[in-house]
């Protein structure tokens, strides 16, 4: 019997977070995943959106100048273009509300057919409409993806996008610590002007 390795509502945040950190979660209803953002408790954080229809959540972090919006998402492999459109509508609403703030959107997009170096669709593992919908959303929201190395086997599935790339100091990959081959580590300036 393989032990379950996902968070669900039966697992309290205190069971897996470090002292001084808080977890903001959007667990899946089937108990097999979801998204999470873990952040220092010393920061002023406001959960501003938790989707009821997709695996998407957003936090507002106050800084000295203007807030930073951090979003986490997961696109399950069996999802449809309409699911991406729903998440896209939620993201566009956040961008309109916080139009002057840096937005960070990270997660597992599960779209191996996209060549991120030029935002071009090169494969056909999934229906082309999924990759087209995602690329159009990134274009509509003026978000740039900058993880350019494989994160699972030979594919870049885990991405981090932003509307302000000037805040990115560096992007590195580290050793495998999950079912994905590489885990991105991003050095970001957190006090935008």
């Amino acid at each position: 019997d393989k032990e379950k390795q996902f968070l669900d509502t039966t697992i309290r945040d205190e069971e897996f977070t470090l002292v001084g950190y808080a977890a903001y979660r959007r667990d899946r209803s089937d108990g097999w995943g979801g998204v999470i953002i873990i952040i220092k408790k010393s920061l002023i954080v406001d959960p501003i959106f938790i989707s009821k229809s997709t695996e998407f959540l957003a936090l507002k972090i106050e800084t000295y100048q203007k807030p930073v919006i951090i979003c986490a998402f997961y696109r399950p492999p069996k999802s449809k273009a309409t699911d991406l459109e729903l998440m896209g509508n939620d993201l566009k609403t956040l961008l309109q509300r916080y139009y002057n703030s840096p937005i960070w959107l990270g997660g597992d997009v599960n779209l191996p057919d996209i060549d991120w170096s030029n935002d071009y669709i090169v494969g056909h593992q999934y229906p082309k409409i999924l990759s087209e919908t995602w690329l159009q959303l990134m274009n509509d929201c003026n978000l740039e993806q900058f993880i350019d190395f494989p994160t699972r086997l030979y594919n870049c599935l885990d991405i981090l996008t932003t509307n302000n790339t000037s805040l990115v100091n560096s992007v590195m990959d580290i050793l495998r610590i999950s079912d994905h081959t590489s885990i991105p580590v991003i050095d970001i300036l957190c006090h935008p002007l």
Side-chain angles (χ1 to χ4, degrees), residues 62-86:
E62 295 296 337
T63 70
Y64 297 115
Q65 299 292 326
K66 56 185 144 186
V68 175
I69 309 303
I70 307 288
C71 308
F73 76 96
Y74 173 66
R75 187 195 77 79
K78 294 182 181 179
S79 64
K80 299 179 172 59
T82 53
D83 298 321
L84 285 177
E85 290 168 0
L86 285 172

Side-chain angles (χ1 to χ4, degrees), residues 126-151:
Y126 288 99
K128 189 175 180 181
I129 187 70
L130 290 171
S131 297
E132 289 173 338
T133 301
W134 183 260
L135 290 174
Q136 187 61 52
L137 172 63
M138 295 296 94
N139 187 55
D140 291 348
C141 295
N142 195 30
L143 295 174
E144 187 172 333
Q145 203 289 107
F146 50 88
I147 296 174
D148 60 358
F149 48 84
T151 59

